[in-house]
Amino acid sequence: MVLSIVILVPTLTLFGLVYTSTSDQKDFADLEHQGIEYLSALLPVEIALIDAQAAAVSGQQLPRENLNRAVQAASATNARLGASLRTEERWAEVRAKIEALTDLRSLGAQDTYNAYTEVTDLLLALVEKVRTSSNLVRDPDADTFYLQDAGAQELPEAIAAAGQLADLAVIAAGKPAAEQQASAGDLISQQNSLASNASDLADGVRLAVDATGSRTLGANLLSRLDRFRKIIDLLIPSTSLLPGRTVTVDPARIARNRAEAQTAAADLSQAMLREIDVLVDSRVSDLNSRLLLAAATAVVAVLLVGAGLALDLIARRRPRAAAGPPVGPVGVTEVSVAPAPELVPAGRHAWPPPPSASHPGASPHPGVSPHPGASPHPGAPLEDPAFAQLAQWEQFGASR
């Protein structure tokens, strides 16, 4: 019994600890899945917002259809996941700012750019909020951590920086030559920001590929990353300053490079988020296997302890069965005794008859010893007084 308890208690305690730890890690992973889904809904909003910004800065008609569809899809996602990720207030602010962008027709190109940039900054802050609230920034696996940093921070910032760089170049080119020098600092700063984001993005993807055990991550991401880097390398020179501090741009070329950069970024972002989702699923699968192993160990321990207790109980009952049934009180055999003969009044038929005078001291009935228990013949066996008395009664009755 003591040995069974010593085995069972630690086993069940270990199972409880494994179950609690596994449940916490699965909840952690579930929140990461929610973050990945939310980020997937925000990417189309950012790309549609950058497209609307480019159209507004260049004085073209705003393509609101794509932006409206993206906002509606993101609102539906926020309705399902906003409470758990604590993004409801931030999304409400971003949506209100996006809806207010339709009243910017009276503003100039620079003011329109500033208004769109403000909304883009709010959107990037929402992306960072999702990344933090969904535990992606605290992912314990190196490959997932590097990948989420590249896909949920560097890539969205690179998309925004590429669109803003292209729009700044268009704005600077539309200014008089004397005013273009004031835009030089903004262009150089934006170029450096885009180059830094692209470099950090590439480093994050390569670190994730080096740290992962997945056989598909590198093949799915590296080619897409190279495509995005090549387009960024084309976009930066197209917005460079000439030696005389003047800006000469080809709007069609910039628009083409910006559109290709957004397409490549969208393709890369979706691939990265899918890979993050696969890595998180793989970790959840490992957690389920660990929990199943712990449960199986606990069940085996319980069965072994139960079998031991059963065998011990059987062993204790065997000596009692071998000794036979318990000995009860000895039974007493009832003996029926004939009732004593009824006394008859004195006279000729009096019972017992008076002793014979001719034989003083002799027994009044032949064959009966005057002393109870004494044998009438020496050496004869003693008779039971009850049987002797019965014999006398029968003789007396015959004489009558």
Side-chain angles (χ1 to χ4, degrees), residues 22-362:
T22 303
S23 298
D24 293 341
Q25 294 182 60
K26 290 178 68 175
D27 293 340
F28 187 98
D30 289 341
L31 206 57
E32 285 185 297
H33 281 303
Q34 295 181 18
I36 294 169
E37 183 180 355
Y38 203 116
L39 291 173
S40 299
L42 291 181
L43 176 65
V45 176
E46 182 182 15
I47 292 178
L49 185 63
I50 296 299
D51 289 340
Q53 173 183 299
V57 168
S58 61
Q60 300 175 4
Q61 186 178 1
L62 298 178
R64 298 291 303 184
E65 293 78 9
N66 293 338
L67 183 58
N68 291 338
R69 283 196 301 267
V71 169
Q72 291 176 0
S75 297
T77 302
N78 181 77
R80 291 186 292 104
L81 306 177
S84 58
L85 296 177
R86 301 186 299 277
T87 58
E88 294 175 326
E89 294 183 3
R90 287 182 178 269
W91 170 248
E93 183 180 6
V94 170
R95 183 172 184 175
K97 290 289 186 179
I98 291 176
E99 293 174 351
L101 292 176
T102 56
D103 299 330
L104 302 179
R105 297 177 183 178
S106 59
L107 300 179
Q110 186 65 46
D111 292 335
T112 300
Y113 170 85
N114 293 337
Y116 272 91
T117 300
E118 180 183 357
V119 179
T120 302
D121 291 341
L122 290 176
L123 183 61
L124 293 177
L126 176 59
V127 170
E128 183 64 22
K129 174 64 176 177
V130 173
R131 196 168 72 99
T132 303
S133 300
S134 63
N135 296 326
L136 286 171
V137 295
R138 292 182 291 275
D139 192 276
D141 297 333
D143 51 358
T144 309
F145 176 81
Y146 288 128
L147 204 56
Q148 64 81 27
D149 181 74
Q153 182 179 20
E154 301 300 339
L155 185 55
E157 291 180 358
I159 293 173
Q164 292 169 0
L165 175 61
D167 292 336
L168 281 176
V170 172
I171 293 173
K175 293 180 180 180
E179 298 180 4
Q180 288 185 2
Q181 295 183 0
S183 302
D186 294 336
L187 280 174
I188 295 174
S189 176
Q190 202 66 34
Q191 289 174 351
N192 293 335
S193 178
L194 177 58
S196 176
N197 290 137
S199 177
D200 292 342
L201 171 64
D203 292 341
V205 173
R206 293 192 176 97
L207 287 172
V209 171
D210 293 339
T212 190
S214 173
R215 298 180 180 180
T216 61
L217 191 147
N220 292 335
L221 297 183
L222 292 179
S223 60
R224 292 179 170 88
L225 175 64
D226 291 340
R227 177 191 174 194
F228 179 74
R229 288 293 305 272
K230 290 178 181 179
I231 297 174
I232 294 301
D233 292 340
L234 293 175
L235 180 62
I236 291 177
S238 65
T239 59
S240 298
L241 294 172
L242 297 178
R245 290 286 182 178
T246 60
V247 179
T248 302
V249 298
D250 182 356
R253 179 185 175 188
I254 289 180
R256 183 174 62 254
N257 290 338
R258 179 173 51 79
E260 291 180 0
Q262 290 179 355
T263 302
D267 186 28
L268 177 60
S269 177
Q270 292 173 0
M272 294 176 71
L273 292 177
R274 283 196 304 268
E275 290 298 326
I276 295 173
D277 197 60
V278 169
L279 292 174
V280 174
D281 282 338
S282 178
R283 185 167 71 247
V284 172
S285 178
D286 292 340
L287 292 174
N288 290 332
S289 299
R290 186 189 309 174
L291 181 60
L292 183 61
L293 178 61
T297 303
V299 170
V300 170
V302 171
L303 292 177
L304 290 176
V305 171
L309 293 176
L311 292 176
D312 183 62
L313 182 61
I314 293 174
R316 291 185 180 184
R317 288 185 176 182
R318 279 181 179 175
R320 297 183 180 180
V327 180
V330 179
V332 179
T333 304
E334 297 182 359
V335 178
S336 299
V337 179
E342 184 179 356
L343 296 180
V344 180
R348 188 168 60 92
H349 304 292
W351 179 260
S356 175
S358 59
H359 302 283

